[in-house]
């Protein structure tokens, strides 16, 4: 299987969020399962070719792309990863990609990502590499399904190529004016109210991808269903409903090397299922570090999160005095909106024996909280996949989460399913519902045997990328079964 994976960010080269982690891990996992994978991304100014040992490709020099009336020429840098054989192609055009941020509100933001997509197709043509799958990610690469069917369909190289669009967060839709369509080389006559390129009078990259992709997926099954509703669809629910039979959910995996309690270099005591005593020593180390008193019998609730409205911490605010009456401690690591940062700072000042807050981004402390806490809290308003609940399960830290998106697909409520529950969930977005879930967790905590069983269930979870990659291979097979006749009917 030949897979062309196109992305606007990819670990270890450039990262702003979860897409970079997926782009770093999934191609490698696919390659380990036998796929041949080429990854395409921009050469941002922050990616140092020397540091990453990139090679300038002489045969792919000064390749022209037409963006409406404008013509630009790009170069290509290359690297092949030794262990997996994954090949990386970096699109080099400094006027577009040497900016202070990788995503901008500059007037040529559309052109920056049109170039990425045209350059990908042009490189494939030069290489004469028959991609079976063109895997697109988020709006920055969402024109490619339409390119395959309408702009590059004259080239027989692509006759058997099918497209997959992965939506990592429906909130970002690449919406521009009609003029942008004129820069893409896609047919203007398809722009009419409710037509494939039109979205409320504008041109949307993401809508284009949703309409033309052979199959679509999001990063959890529940989020795939949720985004078809007005509450979660951010206006795209109607378009998504028209593609519902081609819309799937596949959970992201977890990087087993970075997050593994047996080997984690950031925690003072490594541990496993049979050695839970060492987890307790991490709890003690965590509390010492944050200047809180340690008591084995006091449950510690951990939070590691961006402090933004998506994450649901406005539910905690009205509960705090009531919560702090319980025998419990809470440790919060995060950074984000000033009002939430201040709330958590204030909580630590008000309850110095029970509450500790660290504002900032600190990977080492994130690992220590995940290992040292007893309970991990994620009351998200929405959560496409979520990583922290998977980390906490693997670390035997029992999650309390709102039942949405990827949280609903990974955390099973202990009271609803005593035989297989691995955490506590609540559905209604309300402080009361959150309080009740936390109370259920706190009241089970002293029951040592039951709690240990809960921890162990989590620690046995399989969130490997191998498992996710196997599902992506099945998704690719589904896409390949789409006939070219169906393509004509779009
Ligand atoms: P999102 O991508 O919406 O922020 P995820 O749960 O998918 O949420 O991933 C968040 C990632 O960022 C996790 O790896 C988490 O540990 C990390 N993270 C978030 N905030 C911090 C922080 N303040 N310090 C260290 N790591 C953090």
């Amino acid at each position: 299987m030949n897979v062309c994976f196109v992305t606007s960010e990819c670990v270890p080269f450039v990262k702003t969020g979860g897409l970079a982690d997926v782009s770093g891990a999934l191609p490698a996992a696919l390659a380990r399962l036998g796929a041949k994978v080429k990854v395409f991304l921009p050469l941002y100014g922050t990616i140092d070719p020397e540091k990453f040992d990139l090679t300038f490709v002489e045969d792919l020099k000064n390749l022209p792309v037409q963006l409406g009336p404008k013509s630009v020429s790009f170069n290509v840098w290359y690297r092949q990863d030794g262990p997996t054989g994954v090949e990386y192609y970096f699109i080099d055009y400094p006027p577009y990609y040497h900016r202070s941020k990788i995503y901008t509100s500059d007037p040529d933001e559309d052109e920056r990502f049109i170039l990425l997509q045209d350059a990908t197709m042009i490189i494939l043509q030069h290489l004469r590499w028959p991609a079976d799958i063109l895997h697109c990610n988020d709006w920055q690469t969402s024109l490619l399904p339409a390119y395959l069917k309408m702009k590059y369909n004259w080239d027989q190289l692509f006759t058997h190529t099918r497209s997959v669009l992965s939506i990592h967060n429906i909130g970002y839709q690449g919406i521009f004016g009609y003029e942008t369509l004129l820069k893409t080389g896609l047919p203007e006559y398809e722009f009419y109210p409710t037509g494939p390129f039109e979205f409320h009078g504008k041109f949307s990259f993401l809508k284009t991808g949703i309409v033309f992709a052979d199959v679509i997926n999001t990063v959890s099954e529940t989020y795939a269903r949720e985004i078809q509703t007005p509450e979660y669809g951010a206006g795209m629910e109607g378009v998504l409903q028209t593609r519902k039979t081609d819309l799937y959910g596949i959970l992201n995996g977890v990087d087993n090397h970075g997050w593994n309690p047996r080997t984690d270099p950031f925690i003072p005591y490594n541990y496993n299922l049979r050695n839970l005593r060492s987890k307790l020593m991490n709890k003690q180390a965590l509390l010492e570090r944050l200047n809180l008193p340690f008591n084995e019998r006091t449950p510690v609730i951990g939070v590691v999160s961006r402090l933004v409205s998506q994450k649901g911490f406005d539910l905690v605010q009205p509960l705090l005095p009531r919560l702090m009456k319980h025998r419990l401690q809470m440790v919060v690591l995060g950074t984000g909106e000033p009002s939430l940062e201040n709330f958590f700072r204030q909580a630590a000042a008000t309850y110095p024996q029970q509450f500790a807050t660290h504002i900032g981004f600190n990977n080492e402390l994130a690992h220590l909280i995940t290992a040292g806490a007893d309970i991990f809290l994620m009351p998200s308003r929405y959560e496409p996949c979520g990583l922290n609940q998977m980390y906490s399960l693997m670390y035997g830290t029992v999650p309390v989460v709102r039942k949405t998106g990827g949280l609903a697909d990974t955390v099973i409520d202990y009271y609803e399913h005593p035989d297989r529950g691995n955490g506590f969930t609540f559905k209604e977005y309300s402080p009361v519902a959150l309080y009740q879930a936390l109370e259920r967790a706190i009241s089970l905590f002293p029951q040592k045997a039951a709690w240990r069983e809960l921890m162990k269930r989590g620690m046995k979870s399989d969130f490997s990328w191998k498992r996710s990659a196997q599902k992506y291979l099945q998704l690719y097979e589904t896409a390949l079964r789409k006939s070219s006749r169906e393509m004509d009917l779009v």
Side-chain angles (χ1 to χ4, degrees):
M1 176 95 69
N2 288 347
V3 181
C4 169
F5 190 94
V6 196
T7 181
S8 54
E9 50 183 285
C10 179
V11 159
F13 311 108
V14 54
K15 168 169 174 169
T16 70
L19 171 59
D21 293 318
V22 176
S23 304
L26 178 57
L30 289 166
R32 284 194 199 97
L33 294 173
K36 298 227 176 335
V37 192
K38 293 185 193 293
V39 179
F40 292 75
L41 72 157
L43 186 73
Y44 298 107
T46 50
I47 304 177
D48 178 1
E50 210 170 306
K51 177 179 160 202
F52 289 109
D53 207 11
L54 311 187
T55 311
F56 186 83
V57 187
E58 281 296 333
D59 292 348
L60 299 172
K61 203 163 82 181
N62 273 328
L63 298 175
V65 172
Q66 201 63 34
L67 302 166
K70 195 174 187 175
S71 180
V72 304
S73 295
F74 67 93
N75 293 318
V76 180
W77 295 72
Y78 173 83
R79 163 193 160 126
Q80 183 164 31
D81 182 50
T84 61
V86 173
E87 295 173 284
Y88 296 90
Y89 292 82
F90 295 85
I91 318 301
D92 181 16
Y93 185 64
Y96 281 168
Y97 300 136
H98 288 208
R99 307 245 166 123
S100 60
K101 288 186 292 184
I102 77 165
Y103 305 123
T104 75
S105 323
D106 298 344
D108 58 359
E109 186 72 351
D110 54 348
E111 293 171 19
R112 300 176 70 226
F113 293 104
I114 292 172
L115 173 63
L116 168 64
Q117 301 178 80
D118 269 301
T120 298
M121 299 302 280
I122 291 167
I123 295 170
L124 290 176
Q125 287 178 314
H126 275 267
L127 300 173
R128 299 310 296 161
W129 194 66
D132 297 299
I133 294 294
L134 198 49
H135 190 152
C136 320
N137 294 281
D138 281 347
W139 74 260
Q140 291 86 356
T141 58
S142 277
L143 299 180
L144 283 165
Y147 276 11
L148 260 187
K149 291 177 182 176
M150 306 177 101
K151 186 173 177 182
Y152 290 87
N153 52 342
W154 56 269
D155 189 340
Q156 292 196 348
L157 178 67
F158 301 117
T159 305
H160 301 290
T161 307
R162 298 292 179 266
S163 58
V164 172
L165 170 64
S166 294
I167 300 172
H168 301 265
N169 188 332
I170 197 75
Y172 302 94
Q173 303 177 345
I175 295 176
F176 300 95
Y178 169 71
E179 337 59 81
T180 294
L181 175 60
L182 309 180
K183 301 176 190 171
T184 63
L186 289 167
E188 297 149 43
Y189 59 79
E190 295 286 7
F191 190 92
Y192 53 86
T194 76
F197 297 140
E198 196 267 357
F199 188 65
H200 301 293
K202 306 260 189 177
F203 173 60
S204 160
F205 280 37
L206 188 67
K207 177 180 169 181
T208 302
I210 293 171
V211 171
F212 288 97
D214 290 302
V215 296
I216 304 160
N217 81 295
T218 69
V219 288
S220 67
E221 286 181 16
T222 298
Y223 193 59
R225 283 193 300 275
E226 285 174 340
I227 58 175
Q228 296 178 53
T229 67
E231 192 184 347
Y232 294 95
M236 279 297 162
E237 59 275 7
V239 190
L240 284 161
Q241 278 162 19
T242 66
R243 297 299 316 272
K244 67 177 175 207
T245 54
D246 298 310
L247 175 57
Y248 299 84
I250 300 180
L251 268 186
N252 289 335
V254 165
D255 170 11
N256 261 349
H257 305 293
W259 289 90
N260 183 342
R262 290 165 203 79
T263 53
D264 191 331
F266 295 113
I267 59 175
Y269 305 99
N270 291 118
Y271 60 97
N272 58 39
L273 269 172
R274 283 176 296 285
N275 181 15
L276 290 176
R277 208 61 216 167
S278 294
K279 177 165 166 55
L280 194 64
M281 287 155 73
N282 286 307
K283 174 170 171 176
Q284 188 161 8
L286 170 68
L287 295 175
E288 266 169 28
R289 159 99 181 254
L290 297 174
N291 290 322
L292 290 179
F294 167 71
N295 184 330
E296 192 177 330
R297 286 178 299 152
T298 304
V300 172
I301 302 174
V303 167
V304 179
S305 183
R306 289 186 295 124
L307 301 179
V308 295
S309 73
Q310 175 200 336
K311 300 296 179 180
F313 294 110
D314 53 330
L315 296 183
V316 178
Q317 298 195 13
L319 288 181
L320 195 67
R322 220 165 129 196
L323 262 183
M324 290 294 124
K325 290 208 172 85
H326 287 267
R327 176 193 193 126
L328 60 80
Q329 290 167 315
M330 199 157 166
V331 296
V332 175
L333 166 65
T335 167
E337 289 165 13
S339 62
L340 284 167
E341 291 185 352
N342 286 338
F343 161 66
F344 283 124
R345 272 202 199 96
Q346 191 59 45
T350 313
Y351 304 98
Q353 301 291 304
Q354 277 183 284
F355 208 110
T357 298
H358 185 105
I359 300 297
F361 194 93
N362 184 328
N363 191 38
E364 185 248 322
L365 185 56
H367 283 250
L368 185 57
I369 292 175
T370 307
D374 298 297
I375 294 168
F376 197 92
L377 178 63
M378 289 180 80
S380 304
R381 206 179 275 273
Y382 71 94
E383 196 65 71
C385 175
L387 286 171
N388 284 301
Q389 85 281 12
M390 297 200 265
Y391 300 154
S392 71
L393 285 165
M394 292 163 66
Y395 278 64
T397 304
V398 175
V400 174
V401 305
R402 178 152 178 268
K403 202 171 176 179
T404 182
L407 299 174
D409 293 357
T410 47
V411 182
I412 304 164
D413 188 80
Y414 175 74
Y415 279 96
E416 280 174 30
H417 303 281
D419 52 325
R420 58 192 177 93
N422 59 8
F424 298 88
T425 67
F426 64 100
K427 180 79 189 128
E428 188 187 288
Y429 191 81
S430 73
V432 173
L434 165 60
Y435 181 77
Q436 287 167 345
L438 272 174
E439 212 178 27
R440 291 201 301 273
I442 297 160
S443 60
L444 190 75
F445 180 74
Q447 301 179 36
K448 285 239 157 78
W451 191 263
R452 209 172 293 125
E453 172 65 19
L454 209 52
M455 291 166 73
K456 287 185 176 174
R457 281 183 195 164
M459 292 177 83
K460 288 181 193 156
S461 316
D462 175 9
F463 298 123
S464 65
W465 267 109
K466 182 177 176 191
R467 191 160 170 259
S468 302
Q470 281 164 337
K471 293 196 170 161
Y472 272 100
L473 284 179
Q474 286 167 9
L475 188 71
Y476 295 165
E477 294 293 348
T478 305
L480 290 173
R481 282 197 292 274
K482 298 271 168 184
S483 71
S484 46
R485 225 189 112 255
E486 273 177 85
M487 291 169 63
D488 296 338
L489 291 177
V490 167

